[in-house]
Amino acid sequence: MDFLANRVKRLKPYTAGEQPNEDDWVKLNTNENPFEPVQAVKDTLIWFSKNLQLLRKYPHPMGEPLRSAFATQWNLPPEDVLITNGSDEALSLICRTCLNEAEAAIYPNISYSLYSTLIQSVGGTVKKAPMRNYQNYPYGVDLEALENSNAKLVFLPNPNAITGEAISCKELIQTIQKSKKLWVIDEAYADFSTESISLIPYLSTLQNVIVTRTFSKSYSLAGLRIGALLTSNKTLMQALYAIKDSYNEDVVALYCGMAALEEQTEFQKRIQFVQKERTRLKQELQKLNFIVLDSEANFYLAAAPKQSGKEFYEWLKAQKILVRYFDHLEPFVRISIGNEAENNVLLKRAKEFISP
Ligand SMILES: Cc1ncc(COP(=O)(O)O)c(C=O)c1O
């Protein structure tokens, strides 16, 4: 018997980064934050452990109290915010709400490949925009190619996933203002950018934009699955709320997310640490003749002077260091920024790799 929908049979599943069970790995492959969550999150978990009756009831269907806290932080009306179970849920909701069967959605060819799976999961047509030259490699986002397609929906991470390239608000807004498409700007890594590139402050003037955000990266909460979807387009938002599961985010995540937002001074300190390490790692690897592309995210692409990306990835793995290998990005591998000790181990091993 055949129980599967045709669109599901055609679907190419997303390959997630490796998550080893043992904790003796230096894990630089899935862009997690090197810091543990802030003290306010720990205090909230302790509070929950002493008030277990809070778990007895369903969580707030509109994601409170996190929704209001997030809205206040960004000076948005709470109605423009939808709290999701990680930003992946936000991306999935958008496909389910906006794409008809066979309608096209486009994203940059070098980018977050989950978009493809999500588009296919609702029977949509996947389009990939060609890239343009970026620091001598064909990895740059081409806004014109995205806009000139016949797709209804555009997914664009800013900074771009895999490469870390950031696009300025000005450039993005110029394209989006002229566009008839719905632009989904995935700001999973935007907090790590040196310049402020978020479109959130401009949302009230852009009716064809949805911004997605995550607490997985800059707030160190990948394990709790917290994301947000933001738009000032009321019709869209109403439909997105209608499609989402009634209780899509659990109560522990809603309170821990709110607690994470409280410690902004500590948050900024950690962002600055990642930015400083990003510069240091680039400089140190360049001294070893690695090619390192500029990044505004908490990861970077690096290529060894002579060896392939695959050789570097496998050699590091044999030393219990995990980075991310993508065969279409040869000779580069993607390396997440870890804590100082982890980054130093990586540098030490990179040095050994090129001069065994
Ligand atoms: C560009 C991009 N968007 C979204 C996500 C998923 O974020 P979340 O953990 O909030 O689902 C990732 C995760 O790696 C990502 O790289």
Side-chain angles (χ1 to χ4, degrees), residues 86-88 112 157 161 186 188-189 214 216-217 225:
S87 61
D88 283 348
Y112 186 38
D186 177 345
Y189 302 103
T214 180
S216 297
K217 316 293 180 182
R225 315 300 303 125

Side-chain angles (χ1 to χ4, degrees), residues 129-330:
M131 310 302 289
R132 63 178 183 181
N133 220 20
Y134 173 61
Q135 297 180 4
N136 297 326
Y137 292 90
Y139 299 155
V141 169
D142 187 341
L143 288 179
E144 234 173 85
L146 289 165
E147 170 57 17
N148 289 341
S149 73
N150 65 355
K152 175 185 190 179
L153 207 71
V154 181
F155 286 104
L156 176 62
N158 194 27
N160 194 14
I162 312 193
T163 62
E165 178 196 10
I167 298 172
S168 72
C169 287
K170 194 171 164 214
E171 209 185 332
L172 253 186
I173 290 172
Q174 272 170 0
T175 305
I176 291 174
Q177 271 176 338
K178 289 183 285 181
S179 177
K180 298 261 183 295
K181 302 180 194 313
L182 174 60
W183 287 70
V184 179
I185 308 301
D186 177 345
E187 296 189 354
Y189 302 103
D191 287 332
F192 298 109
S193 170
T194 328
E195 302 291 319
S196 65
I197 54 166
S198 178
L199 279 198
I200 300 177
Y202 306 95
L203 276 179
S204 62
T205 60
L206 299 166
Q207 287 296 292
N208 58 336
V209 173
I210 297 178
V211 168
T212 60
R213 283 256 157 180
T214 180
F215 284 59
S216 297
K217 316 293 180 182
S218 52
Y219 285 99
S220 309
L221 290 173
L224 271 188
R225 315 300 303 125
I226 310 174
L229 174 164
L230 319 159
T231 182
S232 66
N233 184 318
K234 306 284 177 227
T235 314
L236 254 180
M237 193 53 119
Q238 216 177 357
L240 287 156
Y241 264 103
I243 293 289
K244 86 168 183 71
D245 293 346
S246 315
Y247 306 110
N248 62 322
E249 186 60 297
D250 68 77
V251 68
V252 178
L254 290 175
Y255 278 85
C256 285
M258 185 175 71
L261 291 178
E262 282 165 17
E263 292 201 27
Q264 282 303 310
T265 310
E266 182 58 28
F267 175 78
Q268 290 306 336
K269 252 170 62 186
R270 294 170 176 204
I271 294 288
Q272 279 159 17
F273 168 85
V274 171
Q275 291 169 340
K276 254 174 72 183
E277 283 295 274
R278 193 166 66 199
T279 308
R280 178 175 80 95
L281 286 158
K282 178 169 180 166
Q283 286 167 349
E284 293 302 317
L285 285 167
Q286 281 178 330
K287 283 185 203 159
L288 302 174
N289 292 323
F290 275 70
I291 300 165
V292 183
L293 300 194
D294 283 341
S295 167
E296 287 297 323
N298 65 339
F299 55 81
Y300 52 95
L301 286 181
K306 291 199 187 84
Q307 301 88 334
S308 70
K310 186 140 205 250
E311 285 169 294
F312 187 39
Y313 159 78
E314 282 173 352
W315 193 83
L316 288 174
K317 194 169 177 182
Q319 323 294 320
K320 296 221 118 181
I321 300 173
L322 271 184
V323 299
R324 194 83 192 261
Y325 173 71
F326 301 93
D327 53 7
H328 62 295
L329 289 192
E330 276 286 359

Side-chain angles (χ1 to χ4, degrees), residues 7 91-107 115-127 150-155 182 184 236 240 243:
R7 63 174 192 281
L91 301 168
S92 166
L93 258 182
I94 293 165
C95 288
R96 284 156 56 202
T97 307
C98 301
L99 273 185
N100 289 309
E101 186 97 2
E103 263 179 345
I106 192 164
Y107 61 92
Y115 302 135
S116 172
T117 311
L118 296 178
I119 297 163
Q120 288 175 302
S121 74
V122 297
T125 303
V126 175
K127 293 206 167 222
N150 65 355
K152 175 185 190 179
L153 207 71
V154 181
F155 286 104
L182 174 60
V184 179
L236 254 180
L240 287 156
I243 293 289

